[in-house]
Amino acid sequence: MQDLDQPETSRWRPNLLDTVRIGLLAAGLLCVATGLLPRHEAAVNMRRIAPLLLFLGSVIVLAQLARRAKVFDVIAHRLAIVAGGNYVGLFLLCVLFAATTTMVLNLDTTAVLLTPVMLALAVPARIPPLPLAMTTLWLANTASLLLPVSNLTNLLAADRVALTATGFGGRMWLPQLLSIAVTMVCLWWWYWRRAQRGSDRYVVPEPIRLESARERVLFSVSGGACVLFVLAIPVVGDRIGIAATVAAVIAVAAFAVYDRAALRWSLFPWRLLVFVSGLFLVVPTLSLHGLSHVMAELIGGDGSGLGVFRAAGAGAALSNVVNNLPAYTAGEAVIADGERNQLLALLIGVNVAPVVTPWASLATLLCLEFCRTHAVEVPLRKFVLTGLVLAVAATAAATAGLLLTR
């Protein structure tokens, strides 16, 4: 996605990820055209994800404009100032910032917007960028359990789970707490402790100042729109896409008056929408031709404690082989109606564990792409090995927490 601080180019040139996304959608359309995926099933899938696409498109536009208004930058710099050069304090505040953004907006917002903001913070504060990058990358996944809006998989599961936003949070608060706790331990040990970061203190950056009345208005309106959306989450139920759209319209209206140049087509996250649409044509095709049988064998039909752990493990494993969205849809198809614990455990596996392979979730892909464009080297061997430990430990802890919230 194009950086809002960069001018829009007159000619779009697809990169590797764009090629993959467009190719995935083309493959899905080919599946429908050849009959590998019956047209009525394709139509059902598209109707199912239409509210999700509305939500995803709106929340990314809202978050992009909030970043343009410096909402995230002000918060990030304020965190560094509050921590006062102390790495322990900064670590705790960064975890809180990334986890909260993931839980109440969604994981793709964390990946798309917080990653570049945190990497930009590394320059004035003279902080090694890798710890900041891994904090957003890991928490974009492991903090996406609490609310239906936290992850697209949660929204997909809304009908089957049959829980309100508060009911969903009531079942997932302990798994979410345990998942974040395990993530914090792993982050500190492998990326944040003194031996890894190389210094005792960082340079406290200067606060970001909003000099003009125009900047202050855009900051207030965009920040207020984000707050309005967050406050609407417990009351709007399955109309979360409409709530996100209303909040985005408020921000767009403010920019139409005070910064019309910011309203350009690159705000719209067509890449994400193309990717998700393609997945929901390709994966049902694979399920019809063998994937469902594999998932049925892995998950089984036991709704007891062992069956719950099997569902979480199957989701975790398949997420890292393919991607967490197809892993969820493939697993959901073989879980019997009424087996809510198995379905929630599958969500834990596909949400928490996609941190081992670079393609395991869209958020992971996006975070790594931002690292590449900011010249931040992420050692692949360390990424895979530490991610594997985190995936196993956090998935196991969160699943155990799920069984305790019955």
Side-chain angles (χ1 to χ4, degrees):
M1 185 172 294
Q2 184 175 346
D3 194 320
L4 282 174
D5 298 327
Q6 298 297 324
E8 189 170 18
T9 57
S10 59
R11 183 179 179 183
W12 169 69
R13 293 181 181 179
N15 57 27
L16 178 60
L17 286 178
D18 290 339
T19 303
V20 170
R21 293 170 184 130
I22 295 171
L24 186 66
L25 179 59
L29 294 174
L30 185 62
C31 290
V32 177
T34 58
L36 289 173
L37 179 66
R39 292 190 177 185
H40 73 276
E41 290 197 26
V44 168
N45 285 327
M46 291 300 101
R47 284 195 296 269
R48 184 185 185 191
I49 67 168
L52 308 186
L53 298 180
L54 176 65
F55 161 74
L56 184 59
S58 299
V59 81
I60 293 296
V61 170
L62 171 64
Q64 288 251 55
L65 291 177
R67 184 189 170 201
R68 174 82 177 198
K70 300 183 180 179
V71 173
F72 294 105
D73 300 78
V74 167
I75 295 173
H77 277 67
R78 181 56 58 184
L79 294 180
I81 293 169
V82 169
N86 184 286
Y87 269 105
V88 175
L90 181 65
F91 169 70
L92 294 175
L93 291 172
C94 285
V95 167
L96 178 64
F97 188 22
T100 301
T101 303
T102 299
M103 288 185 288
V104 302
L105 290 177
N106 84 339
L107 78 168
D108 296 317
T109 297
T110 300
V112 170
L113 298 174
L114 255 62
T115 305
V117 167
M118 298 293 262
L119 292 177
L121 176 63
V123 177
R126 300 179 189 172
I127 301 170
L130 186 58
L132 295 170
M134 293 305 299
T135 299
T136 55
L137 191 155
W138 277 0
L139 286 168
N141 292 285
T142 63
S144 64
L145 293 176
L146 184 64
L147 296 171
V149 300
S150 304
N151 200 316
L152 285 179
T153 54
N154 298 347
L155 290 171
L156 285 173
D159 291 340
R160 289 283 304 274
V161 173
L163 291 171
T164 63
T166 52
F168 191 93
R171 286 302 312 273
M172 298 299 264
W173 72 267
L174 183 56
Q176 182 63 93
L177 184 64
L178 293 172
S179 174
I180 292 175
V182 171
T183 305
M184 291 175 67
V185 171
C186 293
L187 277 171
W188 183 262
W189 182 255
W190 280 306
Y191 294 100
W192 277 85
R193 63 191 173 101
R194 174 65 174 80
Q196 301 297 323
R197 65 178 185 259
S199 61
D200 291 319
R201 297 181 67 81
Y202 64 88
V203 176
V204 179
E206 292 294 322
I208 293 179
R209 303 188 186 281
L210 304 174
E211 302 292 346
S212 67
R214 179 183 66 85
E215 288 182 321
R216 290 191 289 272
V217 169
L218 290 175
F219 177 85
S220 299
V221 174
S222 299
C226 291
V227 171
L228 178 65
F229 170 66
V230 172
L231 293 177
I233 290 173
V235 298
V236 296
D238 59 0
R239 293 188 174 92
I240 191 66
I242 296 176
T245 301
V246 170
V249 167
I250 292 172
V252 168
F255 273 87
V257 175
Y258 292 98
D259 188 8
R260 187 180 295 272
L263 301 178
R264 52 184 189 251
W265 287 112
S266 59
L267 281 174
F268 189 70
W270 67 266
R271 294 169 175 85
L272 299 184
L273 306 188
V274 164
F275 181 79
V276 173
S277 300
L279 279 177
F280 280 86
L281 293 175
V282 171
V283 174
T285 305
L286 295 177
S287 295
L288 289 174
H289 298 279
L291 184 57
S292 289
H293 297 295
V294 174
M295 291 302 291
E297 290 295 323
L298 290 174
I299 294 176
D302 182 7
S304 66
L306 179 59
V308 169
F309 274 97
R310 284 183 63 178
L318 189 60
S319 291
N320 285 289
V321 173
V322 285
N323 180 272
N324 67 331
L325 282 172
Y328 170 73
T329 55
E332 177 198 56
V334 301
I335 293 178
D337 291 336
E339 292 293 347
R340 179 181 288 170
N341 282 342
Q342 272 195 313
L343 197 62
L344 290 174
L346 176 67
L347 282 175
I348 289 173
V350 301
N351 288 7
V352 170
V355 292
V356 182
T357 56
W359 56 82
S361 77
L362 184 57
T364 299
L365 275 169
L366 290 168
C367 287
L368 290 174
E369 176 66 12
F370 280 119
C371 288
R372 184 190 66 80
T373 58
H374 284 75
V376 176
E377 182 181 356
V378 181
L380 183 59
R381 184 172 182 272
K382 184 176 183 179
F383 175 83
V384 171
L385 292 178
T386 58
L388 179 60
V389 174
L390 173 62
V392 172
T395 300
T399 305
L402 176 66
L403 293 174
L404 293 175
T405 60
R406 287 184 175 182

